[in-house]
Amino acid sequence: MASLSAASRLCLRSAAKPAVPAVRALSSTAVQAAGAASYSSPFKGETTGSKIPNFGKYASKNSAAGNKLFSYFMVGSMGALTAAGAKSTVSEFLVNMSASADVLAMAKVEVDLNAIPEGKNVIIKWRGKPIFIRHRTESEIAEANKVDVASLRDPQNDDDRVQKPEWLIMVGVCTHLGCVPIGEAGDFGGWFCPCHGSHYDISGRIRKGPAPLNLEIPVYEFPEEGKLVIG
């Protein structure tokens, strides 16, 4: 009974196992075989893409030397045109960036010195700043030269501040806070700034008060006798 029972169990287990994998394998093989039999490749023989194109009809009929000469001529011509265009562009840019006529007119101021008597001050406007022009006397020149330069806050000889001893030209702006000093005033007979009490002598040098530097000397020249050009 025991051996019969074992044999029965073995038969039942064998019958219970599914046979699907074998069927599937058989079906796949059959499909592949059928596809291989019916497949047709489209790439048969020599294709168009594998051929080297012929550019013979586009080639120049001239000689190699002629072709080089033409190429050099074209390169040189294009280079010349590019350089001319760049030059024109830069020139136009510089013209647009340059100062206008009214600005150039303000850059320099011409003064007739014959209209300024000796011992008098004249104030003119240059680039938006007041300019002091002093026609000094002989005594004022001597007084400016006898000052001990070493004792000054901003040491400077009178000869270093003038081109002609009788003419003193300065920017009329106090070096402390930018006020405009008053002429022929102060403790030293020169200029006095009432804002904070800075005193300048007859050479425009700071002698007393909070100003740290002497009055500025602008760029000027005497192009001819009796003429002054500032700027």
Side-chain angles (χ1 to χ4, degrees), residues 164-216:
K164 293 184 178 181
E166 65 272 22
W167 294 106
L168 176 64
I169 295 94
M170 306 178 298
V171 177
V173 177
C174 181
T175 57
H176 179 223
L177 292 177
C179 304
V180 179
I182 301 173
E184 299 180 0
D187 297 345
F188 301 91
W191 289 264
F192 172 69
C193 182
C195 298
H196 300 92
S198 295
H199 298 256
Y200 300 89
D201 63 11
I202 197 61
S203 185
R205 297 171 295 196
I206 182 64
R207 302 293 296 276
K208 182 180 177 182
L213 301 173
N214 303 331
L215 293 177
E216 181 185 355

Side-chain angles (χ1 to χ4, degrees), residues 78-129:
M78 293 303 297
L81 290 176
T82 303
K87 176 180 178 298
S88 177
T89 302
V90 173
S91 299
E92 291 293 333
F93 176 77
L94 293 178
V95 168
N96 292 332
M97 293 297 293
S98 61
S100 57
D102 56 342
V103 174
L104 293 176
M106 292 179 60
K108 291 187 177 183
V109 174
E110 184 175 327
V111 181
D112 183 11
L113 298 178
N114 296 321
I116 305 175
E118 189 177 39
K120 295 297 181 180
N121 291 328
V122 170
I123 302 176
I124 65 172
K125 187 177 181 180
W126 173 69
R127 294 182 181 178
K129 299 178 181 179

Side-chain angles (χ1 to χ4, degrees), residues 11 40 49 61 65 78 83 97 105 119 131 141 148 150 171 201 204 213 217:
C11 290
S40 177
K61 303 299 187 295
M78 293 303 297
M97 293 297 293
I131 299 295
I141 297 173
D148 182 13
V171 177
D201 63 11
L213 301 173
I217 304 297

